């Protein structure tokens, strides 16, 4: 199982760049740059990361077709590929109705269709081909002014069965969301088959005091269980509709229900505890079919130190 880092969009860009430089000297293959609303823009941060590193691959993980027109996404990605030839990955996702519809006032209609259409447009543009496609009820006719060095792998961040089946046909990588349990990874692998590659975002909190490590990550798990709500990613791991509704209400109300997140739930949805606990959790993810572990540091320590420790445990 490969090791990658996730850059936290809430962190100052200087901290992300320092982590990237450290990762460039560690057995860390990739860094994924998130773009959650309303945090730092992923493309600007990714360009800076590529500029200060020599080996590290950098992924945009993920942007959506509502706030970024697919031709603009192709333009930005092509520019990144010139900064770091052979080191760029593009992640696309459909986002969600709360961010797009309720908060940004954008129409959130037929998200899977919109996402798959954007993949076709972006791939054509990055290949230097003319783009001739319907978009938003009108005909899109465009072509990039330059052809970037390639290939540029496309990752899709999707969760449900229908979306996973469709994504498996067009994506090089599936970027599985935070809180992907071993049960969910096995479920996904059964749907998509031996390919595409499965990169799994996982929250990690490591401390010699295992109980303290669990307490530090509990609010994070409560938040993302609320974000997911009653979806396959939670159902497959044993979260019933009633508990899912309570967790969702806590998140939408601004008070994530950490009190509902037991130690048993933590062991399913994240890596928390001492080194023995982390090693056991990683082994379970690898056995379930994860190809790459994308570490989100949710503990109190330095992210580079955490990645150093994890790389040793993987070895």
């Amino acid at each position: 199982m490969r090791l990658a880092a996730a850059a936290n969009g809430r962190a100052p860009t200087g901290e992300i760049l320092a982590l990237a430089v450290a990762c460039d000297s560690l057995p860390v293959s990739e860094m994924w740059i998130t773009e959650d609303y309303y945090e730092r823009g992923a493309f600007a941060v990714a360009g800076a990361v590529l500029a200060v590193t020599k080996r590290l691959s950098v992924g945009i993980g993920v942007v959506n077709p509502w706030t970024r027109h697919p031709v603009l996404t192709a333009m930005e990605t092509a520019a990144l590929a010139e900064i770091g030839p052979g080191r760029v990955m593009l992640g696309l996702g459909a986002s969600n109705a709360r961010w797009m519809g309720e908060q940004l006032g954008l129409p959130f209609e037929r998200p899977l269709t919109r996402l798959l259409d954007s993949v076709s447009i972006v791939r054509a543009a990055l290949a230097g081909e003319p783009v001739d496609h319907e978009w938003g009820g009108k005909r899109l006719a465009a072509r990039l002014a330059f052809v970037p060095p390639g290939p540029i792998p496309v990752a899709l961040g999707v969760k449900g069965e229908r979306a996973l089946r469709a994504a498996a046909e067009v994506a090089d990588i599936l970027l599985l969301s935070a809180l992907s349990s071993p049960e969910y990874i096995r479920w996904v692998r059964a749907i998509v088959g031996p390919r595409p590659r499965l990169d799994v975002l996982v929250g990690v909190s490591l401390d010699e005091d295992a109980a303290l490590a669990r307490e530090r990550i509990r609010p994070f798990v409560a938040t993302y269980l609320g974000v997911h709500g009653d979806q396959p990613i939670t159902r497959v791991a044993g979260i019933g509709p009633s508990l899912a509704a309570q967790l969702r209400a806590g998140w939408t109300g601004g008070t994530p229900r950490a009190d509902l997140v037991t130690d048993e739930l933590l062991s399913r949805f994240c890596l928390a505890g001492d080194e023995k606990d982390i090693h056991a959790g990683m082994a379970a993810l690898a056995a379930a079919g994860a190809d790459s572990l994308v570490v989100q540091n949710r503990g109190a320590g330095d992210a580079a130190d955490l990645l150093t420790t994890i790389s040793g445990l993987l070895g």
Side-chain angles (χ1 to χ4, degrees):
M1 189 166 59
R2 300 160 63 233
L3 182 60
N8 183 354
R10 293 183 179 272
T13 302
E15 290 184 13
I16 296 174
L17 297 183
L19 175 59
V21 170
C23 286
D24 215 28
S25 301
L26 292 171
V28 175
S29 57
E30 299 160 356
M31 173 177 278
W32 287 92
I33 312 294
T34 62
E35 187 169 271
D36 289 345
Y37 293 85
Y38 303 86
E39 299 173 357
R40 289 157 181 82
F43 283 100
V45 176
V49 168
L50 287 166
V52 300
T53 58
K54 297 179 179 179
R55 179 192 59 82
L56 195 69
S57 292
V58 179
I60 301 293
V62 297
V63 292
N64 69 79
W66 313 101
T67 56
R68 292 188 182 273
H69 191 286
V71 173
L72 173 62
T73 295
M75 290 165 55
E76 298 272 27
T77 305
L80 288 180
E82 288 194 326
I83 298 170
R87 295 197 287 138
V88 175
M89 304 169 291
L90 173 63
L92 300 170
S95 194
N96 61 72
R98 177 171 170 79
W99 278 347
M100 298 299 103
E102 296 177 21
Q103 296 183 335
L104 292 179
L106 298 173
F108 190 73
E109 301 166 351
R110 304 174 67 203
L112 180 56
T113 298
R114 191 82 161 183
L115 174 61
L116 296 175
D117 284 348
S118 73
V119 173
S120 298
I121 293 168
V122 168
R123 281 198 184 277
L126 291 176
E129 301 170 358
V131 176
D132 183 8
H133 205 285
E134 183 180 339
W135 186 254
K138 296 183 178 180
R139 207 69 197 168
L140 171 59
R143 188 172 192 166
L144 290 190
F146 67 106
V147 179
I152 299 172
V154 173
L156 289 184
V158 294
K159 292 185 288 189
E161 181 172 356
R162 179 168 167 259
L164 286 165
R165 290 190 187 280
E169 298 294 323
V170 300
D172 302 295
I173 304 165
L174 293 183
L175 186 59
L176 300 189
S177 176
L179 308 194
S180 292
S181 64
E183 294 85 357
Y184 179 69
I185 295 169
R186 281 193 290 271
W187 182 80
V188 170
R189 186 58 85 188
I191 291 169
V192 304
R195 62 168 306 277
R197 195 178 92 191
L198 297 187
D199 286 19
V200 182
L201 285 159
V202 58
V204 182
S205 179
L206 171 64
D207 198 287
E208 292 181 359
D209 184 336
L212 181 59
R214 287 191 286 269
E215 286 309 308
R216 285 175 176 151
I217 202 170
R218 208 178 300 273
F220 165 77
V221 173
T223 296
Y224 274 84
L225 285 174
V227 170
H228 292 315
D230 184 24
Q231 297 287 338
I233 192 170
T234 52
R235 286 185 221 134
V236 170
I239 299 287
S242 177
L243 179 55
Q246 293 178 72
L247 290 160
R248 181 78 173 182
W251 172 63
T252 57
T255 53
R257 295 293 304 276
D259 59 303
L260 298 176
V261 180
T262 64
D263 285 356
E264 181 184 3
L265 289 181
L266 286 178
S267 68
R268 291 185 219 168
F269 292 111
C270 68
L271 301 179
D274 56 23
E275 289 190 12
K276 182 179 178 181
D277 296 321
I278 303 301
H279 184 270
M282 290 192 301
L285 293 172
D291 295 309
S292 183
L293 189 71
V294 186
V295 173
Q296 299 173 298
N297 181 27
R298 298 295 175 175
D302 179 76
D305 289 343
L306 175 64
L307 288 161
T308 301
T309 300
I310 290 178
S311 67
L313 295 174
L314 277 175

